[in-house]
Amino acid sequence: HLLCRLAGPLLAPACDRGEVQEDVGDSESEASEIDEAEAGVQCADRKPGLAGAASKAEGKGCRMARVAALLETLRDEPVEADGMASEEEVTCLQPNSRQLEEFVASMAVDAADAATWPVIYPGPGGHGLRFEASFQGGNLRRVRLESDGVVEVLLCGDTRRSYHCQSFCFDAIVDVPLTLRFRIVSFSKPGSTFTDGQRIVTRPEGMVAWRRDGHDYAYVPNRYTIGQRRRHYTLAFTLSLRAGRTRVAHFYPYLYGDVLQDLRRLGPSGDWLNVSDLGPTPGGRPLLMLTITDFEVAQAIEGPDVRPHIVISARVHPGEVPASFMMRGALELLLSDAEEARDLRRRFVFVALPMLNPDGVAAGNGRANGAGLDLNRCWERPPEGSEIVAARRALQELCASPGGVLAYLDLHAHSRRHGAFTLSNPSTQALPDLLAEMDDGVFDRKQCVFSYNKSKRGSARCVVWRDLGVKHSHTVEATYAALPGRKHLVTPRDLSELGQNLVRGCAKLG
């Protein structure tokens, strides 16, 4: 950064997505119901949030009607509607010499020349090249043409956190096949797994699957001053684009519509799923809570249902997409008709909050919700009207129920580590030890951390452990990049298998 300052700044305007609030680095590490009337079934009034006990008071027809109404009335389009993620085994790229070359190129840019680079986006494009990002989850602020075959890219900051940039998703449209060098210059973290083998994903229009793509990666400090903020980093890579439209993303995308698509695909054949809407969110979206258990067992129990709850949440940080693939795996196991799943549902009540921050996901944010809040820093005192008010209330009710809460998992992703690990509270090694025994291909016990400090006191895993008394309360961090051995890049299926093993590990705690 000293060399960057000596070379002089390259100036870019601050993001205009609202006032800037303070942010704090990495992931956790570094009340309406569905309208049952549409289904033609009269259901008893019930308070959103209370899962096991409240569900016992209503019938099978009501629960199944609520699920049917949800899937019928909510029609957000899934990003995977036309193509699932490729499950091919992709070799982790080895570090290459482009790091130094990219840094030297940045030092050589003349600031006066840079001020004249033509803007390709926003606008109609030019030089046979256009960009678009006006879709759910899209994130792109400006594209300029540096030279033939090289573009400078600025990302949008989070809503009301204008300098935080991490995830991206946009369309590149070219008239003829083109090899293009991308320089995304607005990253703020000093390190990235892009220097150690990670690759972005693409899906050309008409292709079936997303795939890892690009070559000649580099992640280096740059000279940009964006607004009043210095110390930025450039992610550079080269793509060979076919003629037409190609969607480019930081990681395999997963939107709110994909949650609904998964629920349609996994729709249970029996009475073991209930759905509640803890919303609306500040943006007016539903905030789904799924209760998965054997409701026939609940009905047969005389007196209170004392089966323990296991609670799993995901996407409180909207850009951390690997969390959704872990959640997908958990749901695939729990909603199946396999004997293992039937046994789990007989013994436990599972509660899933599959997308805690749907507004942030739709906006293409990395950490914040639609109001600019980092929802994993405000569990101690949730701001009025925020998603965490409803989520914490639901957890408090579950903790106060006869069965209580055995375990709580908050699913996240980490941009500077490979594999997966937990951030845990002191003396809570039981679950990580169980996961290590399962020999999961993604989980790396050596990276787990067991601590509590003031900077994380407002996070979900700390508040649920300290204030709600749940001993087994963990943040689970998964990579965007490679498996622990760093030979192959992680796939959505790898993450889904980890999600299933997380469920199995929690069940062994009981």
Side-chain angles (χ1 to χ4, degrees), residues 58 83 97 113 121 128 134 204 227 265 279 363 388 392 394 420 432 445 458 467 498:
E58 63 185 11
S97 61
D113 289 342
Y121 176 89
S134 56
R265 176 174 61 89
I388 302 307
R392 176 166 172 154
R445 175 63 175 80
D467 295 350
L498 172 60

Side-chain angles (χ1 to χ4, degrees), residues 415-432:
S415 65
R416 292 192 277 183
R417 294 196 193 182
H418 299 284
F421 56 96
T422 67
L423 298 172
S424 306
N425 299 297
S427 302
T428 57
Q429 288 89 346
L431 178 61

Side-chain angles (χ1 to χ4, degrees), residues 48 84 122 159 169 176 179 214 258 298 445 493 506:
M84 299 291 285
T159 306
C169 189
V176 297
T179 297
D258 294 292
R445 175 63 175 80
R493 173 47 53 189
C506 288

Side-chain angles (χ1 to χ4, degrees), residues 229-245:
R229 187 176 176 85
R230 298 178 178 177
R231 299 181 70 87
H232 290 92
Y233 297 81
T234 296
L235 169 63
F237 55 90
T238 300
L239 288 178
S240 296
L241 300 170
R242 60 167 59 187
R245 182 184 301 266

Side-chain angles (χ1 to χ4, degrees), residues 7-11 106-117 144 223-224:
L10 299 176
L11 302 179
S106 174
M107 293 298 98
V109 171
D110 182 88
D113 289 342
T116 68
W117 292 342
R144 297 194 300 170
R223 296 160 51 195
Y224 280 81

